[in-house]
Amino acid sequence: METLSIRIKIGDREYPMKVKADEEARIRRVGKLINDKIKKYREEFGLEDRQDLLAMVAFDCMVESMELNEDHTEGSEQVKNVILQVNQRLEAIL
């Protein structure tokens, strides 16, 4: 698979990265999302310190990740319960 050398700007710095060609668009979107969150915290809370901004963005991203994992777990449990109910009904019929 082809590897590309790209530069992603996060905050005020550029970071060189080597990424697979098929992942380039996703990596660039992630960089944009991070920069959008930095801008949001800078504007909403008047934060200017880079470390504070990046800490808040990291915290925000972890909260989102945990929420998605919890939603996924709940969804998986619901699917599992439905499958068990269907299985029990099938066993009762047979």
Side-chain angles (χ1 to χ4, degrees), residues 20-75:
K20 295 177 184 173
D22 62 338
E23 294 179 353
E24 179 188 9
R26 182 176 352 152
I27 300 296
R28 291 191 184 278
R29 263 194 327 269
V30 168
K32 182 180 181 337
L33 289 172
I34 291 170
N35 285 319
D36 290 348
K37 285 181 183 283
I38 289 172
K39 182 179 177 186
K40 174 185 132 185
Y41 280 109
R42 183 177 282 140
E43 291 172 354
E44 284 186 22
F45 301 107
L47 296 173
E48 289 299 325
D49 181 76
R50 276 190 223 149
Q51 186 172 353
D52 288 341
L53 288 165
L54 291 173
M56 291 304 296
V57 169
F59 182 80
D60 192 31
C61 289
M62 269 319 274
V63 169
E64 287 178 8
S65 176
M66 288 180 75
E67 287 172 351
L68 287 173
N69 285 337
E70 289 168 4
D71 289 347
H72 178 71
T73 300
E74 287 176 17

Side-chain angles (χ1 to χ4, degrees), residues 6-24:
I6 63 172
R7 297 181 73 76
I8 299 293
K9 186 172 184 178
I10 298 175
D12 299 328
R13 293 187 178 178
E14 284 194 2
Y15 298 91
M17 297 183 177
K18 291 189 183 283
V19 299
K20 295 177 184 173
D22 62 338
E23 294 179 353
E24 179 188 9

Side-chain angles (χ1 to χ4, degrees), residues 1-3 20-22:
M1 175 140 314
E2 182 183 0
T3 301
K20 295 177 184 173
D22 62 338

